[in-house]
Amino acid sequence: MITLHRKPKDPSSVELEEKLNDLVIAFETEDHAGADNGMPYIEESGNKIEGKEAIEDWLKTLQDELQWQRSLSGDGCYIDPKSGETC
């Protein structure tokens, strides 16, 4: 499970949450209102992804993987065995 650790109303936290929503994936959020630094960060399968560059790399990799997976499950063409017609 992906968890977004964020500070409420923090611009970088809001931006990261929007990016995750744009990917149309399931994730949880945990608010850390009193945190002074180190926010936002991503936790996935026990791994902590933090820092702007590391998060951007992680998002790019995730986006590429999702695009590949979704391309496999998208529309497909078939041959009708009775008529031999294709879609």
Side-chain angles (χ1 to χ4, degrees):
M1 174 54 94
I2 296 170
T3 305
L4 168 61
H5 295 266
R6 65 182 186 163
K7 288 179 10 181
K9 300 182 183 179
D10 171 57
S12 59
S13 296
V14 171
E15 179 183 353
L16 182 51
E17 185 172 9
E18 288 173 357
K19 288 179 181 182
L20 291 170
N21 282 324
D22 288 346
L23 291 174
V24 191
I25 59 169
F27 66 95
E28 298 175 341
T29 58
E30 285 192 21
D31 289 338
H32 300 274
D36 290 332
N37 56 21
M39 296 292 157
Y41 69 90
I42 300 287
E43 185 178 349
E44 179 187 30
S45 303
N47 296 319
K48 184 177 181 180
I49 299 100
E50 58 186 328
K52 185 175 177 101
E53 188 174 315
I55 290 172
E56 289 297 323
D57 289 345
W58 179 84
L59 282 170
K60 175 68 172 130
T61 300
L62 179 60
Q63 182 179 12
D64 291 345
E65 289 174 3
L66 289 171
Q67 187 175 23
W68 180 77
Q69 287 176 356
R70 291 171 181 164
S71 74
L72 297 177
S73 64
D75 292 340
C77 194
Y78 62 91
I79 299 174
D80 183 5
K82 292 182 182 176
S83 68
E85 292 182 23
T86 60
C87 56

